[in-house]
């Protein structure tokens, strides 16, 4: 029971959670700089932060697709092999 649960959770769900934490962190940084520019009414360019955020967003999208592929095709196979081994 426990090993099957770990096989179900470990690769996909935890990596997806890590991806969401990274994306949330960089979105928070971008939002902080955006709000700071609005409040102080500065003409500071946000292009640097926006480019960095877009790179992280693209990387997270690619990683999310890989995790989805892994969960769709490989995780069921691993669980099936595990259930055969414990019988």
């Amino acid at each position: 029971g426990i090993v099957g649960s770990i096989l179900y959770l470990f690769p996909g769900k935890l990596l997806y959670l890590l991806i969401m934490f990274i994306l949330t962190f960089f979105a928070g940084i971008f939002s902080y700089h955006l709000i700071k520019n609005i409040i102080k009414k500065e003409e500071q360019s946000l292009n640097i932060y926006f480019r960095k955020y877009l790179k992280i967003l693209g990387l997270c999208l690619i990683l999310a697709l890989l995790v989805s592929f892994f969960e769709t095709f490989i995780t069921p196979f691993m669980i099936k092999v595990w259930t055969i081994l414990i019988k």
Side-chain angles (χ1 to χ4, degrees), residues 13-70:
K13 305 279 190 239
L14 294 180
L15 288 175
Y16 190 69
L17 187 63
L18 180 66
I19 290 169
M20 288 299 117
F21 280 142
I22 291 170
L23 193 57
T24 302
F25 176 74
F26 279 99
I29 290 174
F30 179 72
S31 297
Y32 168 75
H33 288 289
L34 182 65
I35 291 171
K36 189 172 90 172
N37 279 348
I38 291 172
I39 291 174
K40 290 186 177 183
K41 296 182 182 175
E42 295 177 353
E43 293 297 323
Q44 181 182 1
S45 177
L46 293 174
N47 285 339
I48 297 168
Y49 302 111
F50 189 67
R51 286 184 191 148
K52 187 184 293 187
Y53 179 68
L54 282 179
K55 287 178 187 176
I56 295 297
L57 179 64
L59 178 67
C60 288
L61 283 174
I62 291 170
L63 289 175
L65 287 174
L66 289 174
V67 167
S68 296
F69 174 79
F70 189 82

